[in-house]
Amino acid sequence: MKIKMWVLLLLTGTLFAFAEASLQTFEGEKVFRVTPRNEEQVEALTTLASNMQIDFWHPDSVTLVKTGMTVDFRVEADLCSEAEKLLQQNGLNYEVLIDNLQTVLDRQFDSHVRSAGHQYEKYNNWEKIAAWTADIANQNPALVSRSQIGTTFEGRPMYLLKVGKQGANKKAIFMDCGFHAREWISPAFCQWFVRQAVRTYGQETIMTRLLDQLDFYVLPVFNIDGYVYTWTKSRMWRKTRSTNAGSSCIGTDPNRNFNAGWCSIGASRRPCDDTYCGSAPESEKETKALVNFIRNNISTIKAYLTIHSYSQMLLYPYSYTYDVTKNHVELNTLAKAAVKELYTLHGTQYTYGPGATTIYPAAGGSDDWAYDQGIKYSFTFELRDTGRYGFALPESQIKPTCEETLIAIKYIASYVLDHLY
């Protein structure tokens, strides 16, 4: 028995070592923050990006950088000195947000909850999330049901949870998380939302009213293949994992792949770019699955909420044009009120407004597409933080982030319920 146990431990250790070895390291990599003050400095950043491989965290691409914008970007360890030299030569004052990305990534897992299973205050890999979708539905059959709306490029099932008290002719709100693979706080929120729905139903007035009178369609992870890749290969991956004809570069930016001003602004036609819009609108299997589900349920879906990070923003259409929506005043008033409610819990400050002017112009987004389908309450949340950790938000911030976001979501949902159309 001792020999068997020893062999098992050896195998486990070997597998763990292999998994660790295959995971890309970010040792010595830095995240810089600069604010270009004039066109010459914007041009200097463009030159920098063309001379070396740079991962733009905010905005998503160097092409979106403009005068006065806060720009965060990641630089590989062996290029940091050269990058700093170029910034100094061009008079660009910079701040090092993260001095060693690997250290920050290692510290992400700072939750004191000790468990091998699914946990709401820890980041869960896809296997745990997939099992959780079945468990939460089985444990709460009167409130939660699970269906599959499609499969990913790599063949993984896209599970959707329907949350609400069973009833006829109910209107619904659609919410998705995990569009961009490295935004781990996003899927954490979708899981938190479902947990709080089933925990507080019948006890908390607002949630009970919402679930009695509305259904919530919750897609816990949209870009599953990319999310898996961030756990197994490269934590900073953003796109899907589909192959591209005529290119060795992998993936499409799913939030540039919808048929809403597709690829007209703030998106790239180059497959190697992080903002690649795909070969055509809805070229991605994941996009097609979401689009088909919403189209098939368009008469009941009255709001669309998509959860991203980071920036602490609440955005509404449009992002593919600077034109304002027909109900701009209403959306602005609702966003302002939701952000005010969110602030009350932990004092977290959000900005709000139309995507194009508040963050940057970007065509092919799911929120714009949903709005153009007639879903007049369409919002994008950019969760914590504002750059201190960026995509490497520690687990200790999952609970406060989800708590405050839930307040805003409930506020918006209550408004939608009171203004059905």
Side-chain angles (χ1 to χ4, degrees):
M1 185 67 185
K2 281 183 180 176
I3 293 171
K4 280 185 179 177
M5 182 59 78
W6 182 83
V7 171
L8 184 65
L9 285 169
L10 185 67
L11 280 169
T12 305
T14 305
L15 285 169
F16 182 73
F18 176 77
E20 288 290 296
S22 65
L23 195 61
Q24 181 184 343
T25 180
F26 296 92
E27 189 63 40
E29 298 199 1
K30 297 182 191 294
V31 178
F32 294 92
R33 169 168 285 178
V34 299
T35 305
R37 297 297 174 196
N38 52 50
E39 284 304 319
E40 288 74 24
Q41 292 187 339
V42 171
E43 189 57 41
L45 282 177
T46 305
T47 304
L48 181 71
S50 63
N51 289 345
M52 61 181 74
Q53 187 68 41
I54 286 180
D55 173 21
F56 281 85
W57 283 21
H58 179 89
D60 300 336
S61 165
V62 69
T63 59
L64 298 168
V65 174
K66 58 187 179 186
T67 303
M69 176 185 277
T70 299
V71 182
D72 301 343
F73 57 92
R74 172 175 67 91
V75 179
E76 291 173 8
D78 57 349
L79 297 171
C80 284
S81 296
E82 189 185 340
E84 290 192 58
K85 191 173 156 188
L86 283 164
L87 292 172
Q88 288 164 2
Q89 285 174 352
N90 288 281
L92 272 156
N93 294 328
Y94 63 89
E95 178 187 353
V96 178
L97 288 179
I98 296 175
D99 190 53
N100 185 341
L101 181 56
Q102 190 57 51
T103 303
V104 174
L105 290 173
D106 291 341
R107 289 176 183 163
Q108 271 183 121
F109 302 103
D110 65 347
S111 168
H112 298 301
V113 178
R114 292 283 168 261
S115 170
H118 180 276
Q119 288 291 332
Y120 291 99
E121 291 182 45
K122 291 175 76 72
Y123 292 121
N124 298 295
N125 64 24
W126 171 245
E127 288 72 23
K128 287 178 184 173
I129 296 172
W132 166 82
T133 60
D135 292 342
I136 197 93
N138 291 336
Q139 292 160 12
N140 303 277
L143 280 179
V144 184
S145 61
R146 184 180 82 159
S147 61
Q148 183 180 336
I149 64 167
T151 54
T152 66
F153 178 81
E154 294 180 343
R156 294 181 176 91
M158 295 178 69
Y159 293 126
L160 181 78
L161 296 175
K162 183 181 181 182
V163 185
K165 192 81 173 129
Q166 292 170 12
N169 304 317
K170 289 179 73 182
K171 301 305 180 187
I173 291 175
F174 190 100
M175 179 167 68
D176 57 52
C177 293
F179 251 69
H180 292 134
R182 61 188 177 185
E183 299 169 8
W184 282 10
I185 188 62
S186 168
F189 176 72
C190 269
Q191 294 162 69
W192 184 276
F193 174 85
V194 176
R195 192 269 293 258
Q196 289 305 105
V198 298
R199 271 179 82 174
T200 62
Y201 178 78
Q203 298 173 37
E204 196 270 323
T205 316
I206 299 171
M207 186 64 87
T208 303
R209 177 175 178 252
L210 289 173
L211 297 182
D212 276 343
Q213 298 183 46
L214 288 171
D215 288 326
F216 287 83
Y217 291 115
V218 181
L219 189 64
V221 186
F222 172 85
N223 179 12
I224 301 165
D225 296 345
Y227 187 70
V228 169
Y229 196 79
T230 61
W231 279 83
T232 57
K233 296 291 182 185
S234 177
R235 176 65 182 83
M236 286 298 116
W237 188 257
R238 168 185 166 91
K239 299 190 285 183
T240 63
R241 293 294 303 165
S242 57
T243 52
N244 293 304
S247 174
S248 59
C249 292
I250 297 294
T252 287
D253 182 342
N255 211 35
R256 301 293 190 280
N257 193 231
F258 287 75
N259 198 5
W262 179 76
C263 225
S264 57
I265 190 171
S268 171
R269 292 186 184 270
R270 295 189 296 269
C272 298
D273 290 350
D274 267 348
T275 55
Y276 176 53
C277 58
S279 57
E282 301 171 22
S283 60
E284 301 307 282
K285 287 188 71 178
E286 296 86 351
T287 310
K288 202 76 178 165
L290 187 151
V291 160
N292 286 344
F293 181 85
I294 290 181
R295 280 192 184 124
N296 292 337
N297 295 276
I298 197 69
S299 62
T300 58
I301 296 173
K302 298 301 172 186
Y304 173 78
L305 308 171
T306 183
I307 314 298
H308 290 252
S309 76
Y310 64 97
S311 286
Q312 292 172 199
M313 291 181 173
L314 181 52
L315 309 170
Y316 52 84
Y318 285 112
S319 290
Y320 73 80
T321 175
Y322 287 103
D323 294 345
V324 297
T325 59
K326 288 177 185 173
N327 61 330
H328 168 80
V329 173
E330 184 185 21
L331 291 177
N332 192 69
T333 305
L334 179 51
K336 181 181 180 180
V339 161
K340 188 178 176 184
E341 289 294 314
L342 184 150
Y343 175 82
T344 59
L345 189 61
H346 297 297
T348 306
Q349 292 191 311
Y350 268 56
T351 51
Y352 61 92
T357 51
T358 309
I359 189 165
Y360 42 72
S366 63
D367 55 350
D368 283 358
W369 175 83
Y371 184 86
D372 281 347
Q373 301 309 298
I375 301 172
K376 70 184 213 178
Y377 302 113
S378 181
F379 291 97
T380 295
F381 278 81
E382 294 281 353
L383 303 185
R384 292 191 188 186
D385 58 7
T386 55
R388 168 67 185 87
Y389 296 101
F391 301 121
L393 196 72
E395 287 178 328
S396 53
Q397 290 201 37
I398 292 175
K399 184 173 186 280
T401 302
C402 291
E403 286 174 338
E404 67 195 12
T405 308
L406 182 62
I407 291 173
I409 295 281
K410 283 163 69 175
Y411 184 89
I412 292 171
S414 297
Y415 181 92
V416 171
L417 180 56
D418 291 336
H419 298 81
L420 291 175
Y421 55 95

